[in-house]
Amino acid sequence: MEDNYEGRRLASFDGGKGKAISQLEIICNLMHRLKMTHYANDSREVILPCEVFDLMGGCDTGGLIVIMLTRLEMSADETRVEFTKLCNDVFDVRNMSPSNKSARLRSALEDLLVRKDIPLDAKLNDGKGKDKRCPGFVVTLPRSSLTGKILFRTYDSRIAPPSSVTILDAALATCASQPEFLPVVIAEGDNVREEYLSAIMGAANPVHNVVTEAFHYFPTTTKVSSIVSFGCGYPSVVQLPTCTSKDERFEAYIEISEDCEKVAQKLQEEVSGLDIYFRLSVTQGVQRSVPLAYADGERDLIVSFTSEYLQDPEIGTLLERCIDCVHLRRGVRSIEYLAHRGGKLPTHKAIPALSTSFIAREEPYNELVRGVIGPSSASRQSIVVVSGMAGCGKTQLVVSFAHEHGARFKHIFFIDGSSRTSIMRDLVTYVQNADSKYSQATHDMGVSSSPRETAR
């Protein structure tokens, strides 16, 4: 079908180390409900998440889950079984050095690839992603710049060159949380080597990245029918330990920085009223009860609390609404609209900074001031055209006026007049941000209307 008629379905998976077993319990339940509700007569034994969703993204162990569901095309139940093995052998093991734990994780992932009959040097992006499977990505942090996130993708992107990273290295990098694991060294391009870490500190909930990636992957006219965000449970109250253990203090800082629910609530506010965003995360019981590693049997408690969460009548209603949106695929909003509302794309152009070498010519500047805010402008709309040769300082003259007298105006629109398209785009975007009640109406007008009609 055309994108206008078939809404895309997006999925996001939080980072949470071993607590990610909770989101696997949830997606297994979701896939079972979807199968029984809409595919009861389907000959397939299970419905794969990569057949249901159109793009997935994850961080930390959520990223590992995304690799399993997309690149390895595993079912939700199979992923849960394999992740449980990884928890038993790696994630839940205490009192192990970072080097030994990293080596054990590598060995366990190599064993998984061998059992799936996938070469150990297989690329994460094998060039078949767009035609064969649901695209997916994982979020990592380069050690050289911890403020900049790097995405490893199973697909080609319009905004980044293809990566040669292997499935194994991408999985290790997204799970390399500090201080439990060593950074993962990956060579790209001309043997440029970089160390990568888990992005769990500061980017544990990648839902905004999912929306932005969808914008860059699909045509901008694509409609979105659902955004499903799988969480690892609401956070507990975080207290800085009074002990002298560096590991425990570091773990507390991670808990503060990885508050995924704040990110979830922010997106909920940004897309409120659209009924396409579903946050699925256990509200009680999975909060960590010990500072660092898992207590004995804690994973069983997480599974138990998740089961209780799924049996709650209100959550059942939420899941049914989610299933309907995922199945019916009714496009509700364009991906361009959501990327500016719920993604992290810039929403407008700021007024440029005034050049440090600019010297205002008194006569043209005073003429501009009189024309815009002088006595004769009080009873009518003022229109002042500044013209002159290229490079004579027209833009700087207007920018100087905007900086000095901007407080007089409720809104200042800085429009790129280089083309009809840029004028229309900037007018629509500014009006959207000026008043939320115009956001969707002006966006829909902007797709087909002239600048004059849009400004009207």
Side-chain angles (χ1 to χ4, degrees):
M1 286 187 181
E2 294 295 327
D3 288 320
N4 287 339
Y5 299 100
E6 192 170 86
R8 297 298 184 179
R9 303 159 296 183
L10 314 179
S12 172
F13 293 82
D14 289 4
K17 304 181 184 177
K19 289 191 295 183
I21 192 69
S22 176
Q23 60 189 357
L24 281 171
E25 293 291 326
I26 293 172
I27 194 173
C28 284
N29 184 278
L30 186 72
M31 300 308 296
H32 173 74
R33 288 174 183 247
L34 184 64
K35 162 76 172 172
M36 298 305 295
T37 303
H38 297 291
Y39 300 96
N41 298 322
D42 197 304
S43 59
R44 293 171 293 178
E45 285 190 20
V46 296
I47 304 298
L48 300 178
C50 65
E51 299 169 330
V52 171
F53 294 103
D54 298 296
L55 188 143
M56 302 186 209
C59 169
D60 190 61
T61 45
L64 175 59
I65 289 169
V66 166
I67 291 176
M68 292 181 178
L69 296 178
T70 59
R71 182 61 174 84
L72 305 188
E73 298 183 312
M74 293 166 59
S75 71
D77 288 317
E78 185 184 8
T79 302
R80 177 177 57 182
V81 170
E82 294 296 338
F83 188 79
T84 300
K85 290 179 182 178
L86 289 171
C87 287
N88 290 333
D89 297 340
V90 183
F91 296 120
D92 292 358
V93 178
R94 293 175 287 175
N95 302 321
M96 183 180 292
S97 69
S99 58
N100 288 340
K101 202 162 190 175
S102 297
R104 181 174 289 196
L105 178 59
R106 177 179 287 275
S107 176
L109 292 175
E110 288 176 346
D111 177 67
L112 172 61
L113 292 175
V114 169
R115 286 186 283 111
K116 297 294 294 181
D117 197 26
I118 296 176
L120 297 184
D121 61 350
K123 306 299 183 187
L124 184 66
N125 178 5
D126 62 355
K128 301 177 182 178
K130 195 158 189 174
D131 299 325
K132 184 180 178 183
R133 64 180 74 87
C134 167
F137 69 86
V138 300
V139 187
T140 65
L141 294 178
R143 193 173 188 180
S144 60
S145 177
L146 295 180
T147 58
K149 298 185 287 289
I150 296 295
L151 273 55
F152 291 134
R153 304 171 175 90
T154 67
Y155 54 92
D156 292 336
S157 169
R158 293 200 300 262
I159 61 173
S163 170
S164 61
V165 66
T166 64
I167 299 172
L168 182 60
D169 283 343
L172 289 168
T174 193
C175 292
S177 56
Q178 301 290 286
E180 297 172 273
F181 294 93
L182 295 177
V184 178
V185 179
I186 298 176
E188 290 267 27
D190 299 327
N191 293 320
V192 177
R193 297 165 63 85
E194 176 66 87
E195 293 184 337
Y196 292 93
L197 307 169
S198 165
I200 195 169
M201 288 190 67
N205 183 340
V207 68
H208 285 109
N209 296 100
V210 169
V211 174
T212 303
E213 276 296 294
F215 172 78
H216 292 301
Y217 183 75
F218 299 111
T220 55
T221 55
T222 298
K223 302 289 185 181
V224 174
S225 67
S226 56
I227 305 171
V228 186
S229 176
F230 296 95
C232 297
Y234 276 57
S236 58
V237 175
V238 182
Q239 294 180 331
L240 191 63
T242 57
C243 62
T244 57
S245 168
K246 292 182 179 179
D247 285 348
E248 290 186 11
R249 289 200 301 270
F250 194 88
E251 196 73 10
Y253 295 139
I254 288 179
E255 287 194 64
I256 293 170
S257 67
E258 70 174 18
D259 191 348
C260 301
E261 297 310 317
K262 289 183 179 178
V263 177
Q265 290 166 9
K266 180 174 176 57
L267 182 62
Q268 183 66 64
E269 294 169 0
E270 290 166 341
V271 299
S272 61
L274 301 185
D275 200 30
I276 62 171
Y277 174 63
F278 302 91
R279 174 64 173 172
L280 303 175
S281 185
V282 179
T283 52
Q284 292 293 331
V286 298
Q287 295 95 329
R288 193 173 309 184
S289 56
V290 292
L292 188 58
Y294 287 100
D296 293 337
E298 185 171 345
R299 183 158 28 89
D300 292 337
L301 286 175
I302 291 175
V303 172
S304 177
F305 283 123
T306 306
S307 177
E308 183 177 339
Y309 167 81
L310 292 169
Q311 294 174 29
D312 184 287
E314 291 187 8
I315 301 304
T317 300
L318 177 65
L319 286 168
E320 292 304 318
R321 282 175 39 224
C322 176
I323 288 169
D324 285 343
C325 283
V326 167
H327 174 68
L328 296 175
R329 303 193 67 170
R330 291 173 180 161
V332 175
R333 289 291 185 265
S334 74
I335 190 60
E336 183 177 23
Y337 170 83
L338 293 174
H340 288 92
R341 296 285 291 178
K344 290 300 182 184
L345 297 181
T347 55
H348 60 83
K349 296 178 177 65
I351 299 173
L354 192 63
S355 172
T356 55
S357 60
F358 173 70
I359 300 176
R361 288 179 291 171
E362 186 174 347
E363 185 177 348
Y365 183 79
N366 290 339
E367 190 68 26
L368 176 61
V369 171
R370 284 193 296 270
V372 178
I373 59 175
S376 62
S377 66
S379 58
R380 60 180 176 82
Q381 183 185 56
S382 299
I383 300 176
V384 178
V385 177
V386 180
S387 63
M389 296 177 59
C392 70
K394 300 184 297 296
T395 299
Q396 287 293 301
L397 183 70
V398 175
V399 166
S400 176
F401 172 86
H403 281 291
E404 184 170 348
H405 300 283
R408 292 172 172 263
F409 304 93
K410 186 176 181 180
H411 301 290
I412 298 179
F413 294 2
F414 190 83
I415 306 298
D416 179 358
S418 59
S419 69
R420 178 182 183 276
T421 300
S422 66
I423 292 172
M424 180 162 47
R425 181 191 61 234
D426 285 357
L427 284 173
V428 169
T429 302
Y430 269 110
V431 174
Q432 286 175 338
N433 285 276
D435 194 323
S436 60
K437 70 181 180 180
Y438 299 129
S439 57
Q440 180 59 22
T442 52
H443 179 272
D444 292 339
M445 289 172 62
V447 172
S448 59
S449 300
S450 69
R452 181 186 300 248
E453 291 168 334
T454 302
R456 212 179 267 162

